């Protein structure tokens, strides 16, 4: 009995094991069939494309502009210093910081009493010196006359000596007479020497008196100049700065009382690089007199004045590079600009022919641009960057009409398939319809009654409807919603009912997606209408937005 029971148990377990194995084999077969069917139904993945903003190359003559920054200074600046010491007794009414004075007007005056007395003394000394000079001239005339008489007397005594010697030779005269005549001649010679010495003294006195007159005349001129320097007048029209003067103050000689600036001679000094400086030279390596626009930032109202490039600096400052340039401002700038203003300088270079102006984001650092070729694919083309102008660059090496990508993205490269989106896509092809008053009022009432529509979208639609013309698609979508409002719910409400995640969009993001959808050529009209209708709601499905932005390439 025990053997029989054990045999039955073993037979049961064997059957159970076989059943489990057959069930496992059936499940494995079923899973393999399902996998085969799913592999057969799966399609090959489509090539991913990116939406890129494109534009066409337009060859033109571009005028490069060099932008720099500098300071205004006056080429004509005069320090006002005192020409004499004394008390300030008079000041011009506008002798203060910022005061305007005209040429020849009185600036200040120092008490002239001391200077006038010094001038009168110098004039008296000149009169005395002139009188002494007159006496010296008369004394010289008398000395010359005495010398002439003494010479004549000496000649007579010489003749008398000769006659006495002749008489003695003939035996008529005596030795005593000859000796007396010789003594008289010697006395006459001594008199001549004395008269000559007196003449020399008279000539020396005359020279000294003449020098004294010159010295007195110079002293008088200095006194008169000192007297004139007690009064200061403006040598040119200008503005006063750094004024330090008050009536009654005693000043010393050559003391600084202010600075006079000529506003009609303003110029701007600014720095450029060596490469920019080389482009401003002509064939003879001389600086071109190019036009310059000088802009002073006055808050919301910038002031721009014309100027002309005139010269370059004589030397390069220590620790600096490039060149210091100077531009002469037109006289009209004096009414607004002042010395010391910080300004923006724009130099207009000679025009470049047959070049293209493209956004700086369209080219890499070495000048490579992505262009659109056959099959809506990208290719890389090398260009030469000639100038950088703010957010744009001037390049050469591209043919007219070539379509290029205006903004390079890290994921873009040669050979990729793209969807070209132009800046005006979806805007120029919008059809407008004219609304009759009854239809416009009905649409306006529907928009105003919609509490879920964003304020920006509502205002935009109301502007169209009140003007009597609106986009055809906008009217069709709104009227479709008006006709189906009682029976249907909005996509957002349906999505919320099904548990679909929704998000809020900023006005800029919403407008960008709307423009892409309206300009898309691959999206069906029904899909467009459905997406645009969803975009009119405050909340939109997140999955839908992510799919659209993925197609946009962002």
């Amino acid at each position: 009995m025990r053997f029989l029971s054990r045999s039955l148990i073993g037979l049961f377990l064997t059957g159970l094991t076989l059943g489990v194995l057959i069930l496992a084999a059936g499940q494995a077969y079923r899973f393999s069939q399902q996998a085969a069917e799913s592999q057969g139904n799966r399609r090959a993945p489509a090539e991913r494309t990116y939406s890129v903003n494109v534009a066409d190359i337009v060859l033109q003559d571009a005028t490069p502009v060099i932008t720099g920054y500098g300071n205004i200074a006056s080429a004509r600046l005069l320090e006002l210093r005192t020409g004499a010491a004394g008390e300030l007794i008079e000041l011009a009414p506008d002798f203060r910081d910022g005061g305007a004075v005209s040429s020849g007007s009185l600036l200040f005056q120092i008490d002239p009493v001391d200077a006038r007395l010094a001038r009168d003394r110098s004039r008296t000394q000149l009169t005395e010196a002139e009188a002494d000079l007159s006496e010296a001239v008369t004394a010289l005339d008398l000395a010359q006359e005495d010398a002439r008489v003494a010479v004549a007397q000496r000649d007579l005594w010489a003749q008398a000596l000769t006659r006495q010697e002749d008489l003695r030779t003939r035996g008529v005269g005596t030795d005593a007479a000859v000796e007396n005549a010789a003594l008289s001649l010697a006395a006459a010679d001594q008199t001549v020497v004395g008269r000559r010495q007196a003449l020399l003294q008279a000539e020396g006195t005359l020279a000294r008196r003449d020098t004294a007159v010159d010295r007195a005349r110079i002293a008088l001129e200095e006194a008169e100049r000192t007297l004139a320097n007690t009064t200061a007048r403006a040598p040119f029209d200008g503005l006063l700065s750094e004024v330090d003067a008050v009536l009654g103050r005693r000043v010393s000689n050559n003391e600084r009382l202010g600075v006079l600036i000529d506003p009609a001679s303003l110029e701007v000094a600014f720095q450029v690089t060596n490469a920019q400086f080389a482009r401003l030279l002509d064939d003879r390596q001389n600086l071109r007199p190019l036009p310059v626009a000088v802009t002073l930032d006055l808050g919301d109202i910038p002031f721009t004045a014309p100027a002309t490039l005139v010269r370059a600096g004589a030397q390069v400052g220590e620790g600096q590079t490039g060149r210091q340039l100077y531009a002469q401002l037109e006289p009209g700038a004096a009414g607004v600009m002042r010395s010391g203003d910080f300004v923006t300088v724009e130099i207009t270079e000679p025009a470049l022919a047959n070049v293209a102006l493209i956004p700086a984001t369209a080219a890499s650092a070495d000048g490579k641009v992505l262009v659109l070729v056959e099959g809506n694919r990208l290719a890389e083309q090398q260009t030469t960057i000639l100038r950088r102008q703010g957010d744009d660059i001037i390049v050469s090496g591209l043919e007219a009409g070539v379509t290029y990508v205006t903004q390079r993205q890290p994921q873009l490269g040669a050979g990729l398939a793209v969807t070209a989106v132009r800046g005006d896509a979806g805007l120029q092809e919008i059809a407008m319809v004219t609304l009759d008053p009854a239809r416009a009022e009905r649409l306006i009432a529907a928009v105003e009654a919609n509490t879920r529509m964003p304020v920006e979208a509502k205002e935009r639609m109301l502007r169209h409807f009140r003007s009597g013309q609106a986009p055809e698609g906008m009217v069709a979508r709104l009227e479709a919603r008006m006709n189906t409002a009682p029976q249907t719910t909005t996509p957002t409400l349906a999505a919320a009912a099904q548990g679909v995640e929704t998000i809020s969009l900023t006005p800029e993001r919403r407008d960008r997606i709307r423009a892409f959808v309206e300009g898309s050529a691959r999206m069906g009209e029904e899909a467009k209408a459905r997406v645009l209708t969803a975009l009119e709601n405050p909340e939109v499905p997140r999955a839908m937005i992510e799919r659209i932005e993925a197609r946009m390439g962002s």
Side-chain angles (χ1 to χ4, degrees), residues 501-542:
E501 183 181 2
T502 61
I503 59 173
S504 299
L505 300 179
T506 62
E508 295 80 5
R509 189 178 179 186
R510 189 184 301 270
D511 293 340
R512 185 168 63 250
I513 295 174
R514 182 183 292 109
F516 172 77
V517 172
E518 291 176 348
S520 177
R522 303 176 60 183
M523 188 179 297
E525 294 299 328
E526 295 181 359
K528 279 187 180 181
R530 186 168 61 255
V531 173
L532 292 175
T533 302
L535 288 175
E536 299 295 337
N537 295 289
E539 299 287 334
V540 294
R542 176 187 293 273

Side-chain angles (χ1 to χ4, degrees), residues 202-218:
E203 291 177 348
T205 301
L206 178 62
R208 288 192 296 272
R209 295 292 184 269
D210 192 14
T211 303
V213 170
D214 292 340
R215 187 181 297 110
R217 187 175 291 112
I218 293 173

Side-chain angles (χ1 to χ4, degrees), residues 78 80 90 101-109 228-236 260:
L78 176 66
L80 301 177
E90 187 175 357
V101 296
S102 57
S103 177
S105 62
L106 176 68
L107 297 177
F108 60 85
Q109 184 177 14
N229 288 339
T230 58
T231 301
R233 297 186 179 276
F236 52 83
L260 182 61

